């Protein structure tokens, strides 16, 4: 029996847990699905056992993990730890998630209900697409990228590693010769309308999105 661990026990992890349960039930006769936290506990959250990272890693049988934590740096740290322990991630995809055609989505993605990846998109490891988000054609998305709910990412956009895109943000389409680029570690504010490329590490807000000016 395979042990599947959801790393974290916060709000997003609790939202993801039933999505994972429904998906796994369609592919496995027997499995165990648990929350995994730094300390663990003997308690249950929403009916699921909470165990520590040490307990998870010491489990003698087959085990897989998914990291339901928004912070990309923490996701990277956990990924490094699990890779060293030879534990592979698994992708969580809601039964109503749509991946339409010729997409390449890396391991460890969390694809929540009502999300869509359309055509010819390339997406790195540990991508989060929260409720009602979409990725359109010919996008290239790096590792550890987070979409909050209802993100609209239109075609021919390049999003580099560790980018966070806030709820309701819209990213204008690029072109084949000049894709719109969101640089590594950038933050797109909630409800922002991104009409031009964003530099690495920059935080942009508003409509049209502009960098936050520090006093």
């Amino acid at each position: 029996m395979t042990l599947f661990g959801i790393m974290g026990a916060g709000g997003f992890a609790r939202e993801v847990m039933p999505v994972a349960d429904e998906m796994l039930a369609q592919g496995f006769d027997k499995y165990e699905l648990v929350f995994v936290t730094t300390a663990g506990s003997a308690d249950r959250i929403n009916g699921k056992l909470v165990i520590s990272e040490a307990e998870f890693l010491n489990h003698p049988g087959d085990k897989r993990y998914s990291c339901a934590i928004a912070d990309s740096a923490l996701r990277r740290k956990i990924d490094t730890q699990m890779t060293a322990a030879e534990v592979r991630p698994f992708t969580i995809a809601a039964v109503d998630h749509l991946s339409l055609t010729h997409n390449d989505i890396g391991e460890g993605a969390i694809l929540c209900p009502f999300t869509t990846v359309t055509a010819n998109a390339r997406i790195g490891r540990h991508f989060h697409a929260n409720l009602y988000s979409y990725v359109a054609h010919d996008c290239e998305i790096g590792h550890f990228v987070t979409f909050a709910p209802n993100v609209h990412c239109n075609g021919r956009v390049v999003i580099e590693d560790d980018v966070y895109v806030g709820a309701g943000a819209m990213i204008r389409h690029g072109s084949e010769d000049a894709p719109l680029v969101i640089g590594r570690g950038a933050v797109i504010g909630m409800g922002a309308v991104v009409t031009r490329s964003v530099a690495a590490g920059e935080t942009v807000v508003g409509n049209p999105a502009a960098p936050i000016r520090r006093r």
Side-chain angles (χ1 to χ4, degrees):
M1 183 171 65
T2 302
L3 177 65
F4 291 90
I6 302 294
M7 313 302 290
F12 186 53
R14 286 181 278 118
E15 291 174 342
V16 165
M17 180 62 79
V19 177
D21 225 356
E22 184 177 20
M23 182 193 77
L24 293 171
Q26 295 186 1
F28 292 84
D29 292 329
K30 292 183 179 181
Y31 66 91
E32 185 174 8
L33 181 60
V34 299
F35 291 105
V36 181
T37 66
T38 302
S41 74
D43 297 330
R44 291 178 177 265
I45 296 176
N46 295 346
K48 295 294 185 181
L49 187 66
V50 183
I51 68 173
S52 70
E53 291 179 9
E55 290 173 301
F56 180 73
L57 289 171
N58 289 330
H59 176 74
D62 185 35
K63 49 188 174 285
R64 304 284 295 278
Y65 79 98
S66 180
C67 196
I69 297 170
D71 186 314
S72 65
L74 188 50
R75 291 216 297 278
R76 279 187 178 275
K77 180 179 178 181
I78 291 170
D79 178 63
T80 298
Q81 179 186 14
M82 293 296 159
T83 299
E86 299 183 341
V87 181
R88 288 182 56 198
F90 73 101
T91 291
I92 297 171
V95 295
D96 56 4
H97 164 75
L98 295 177
S99 181
L100 297 181
T101 184
H102 291 83
N103 298 305
D104 183 1
I105 302 174
E107 287 187 313
I110 297 178
L111 306 166
C112 292
F114 311 110
T115 56
T116 302
V117 181
T118 64
N120 303 97
R122 292 188 297 171
I123 299 175
R125 303 176 76 244
H126 295 283
F127 173 60
H128 288 180
N130 216 313
L131 299 162
Y132 295 101
S133 293
Y134 73 76
V135 177
H137 66 88
D138 300 296
C139 286
E140 297 184 19
I141 295 178
H143 307 303
F144 304 99
V145 171
T146 303
F147 281 11
N150 201 32
V151 169
H152 299 193
C153 181
N154 291 293
R156 299 196 186 281
V157 171
V158 174
I159 299 179
E160 297 179 349
D161 295 354
D162 301 295
V163 168
Y164 180 89
V165 185
M170 299 183 183
I171 304 174
R172 182 185 66 82
H173 64 85
S175 67
E176 185 172 3
D177 295 332
L180 190 148
V181 178
I182 310 298
R184 181 170 183 157
V187 176
I188 310 300
M190 180 184 295
V193 178
V194 181
T195 60
R196 63 184 65 187
S197 293
V198 176
E202 199 165 56
T203 297
V204 298
V205 297
N207 179 10
I212 291 177
R213 299 188 183 279
R214 301 188 182 277
R215 295 183 180 179

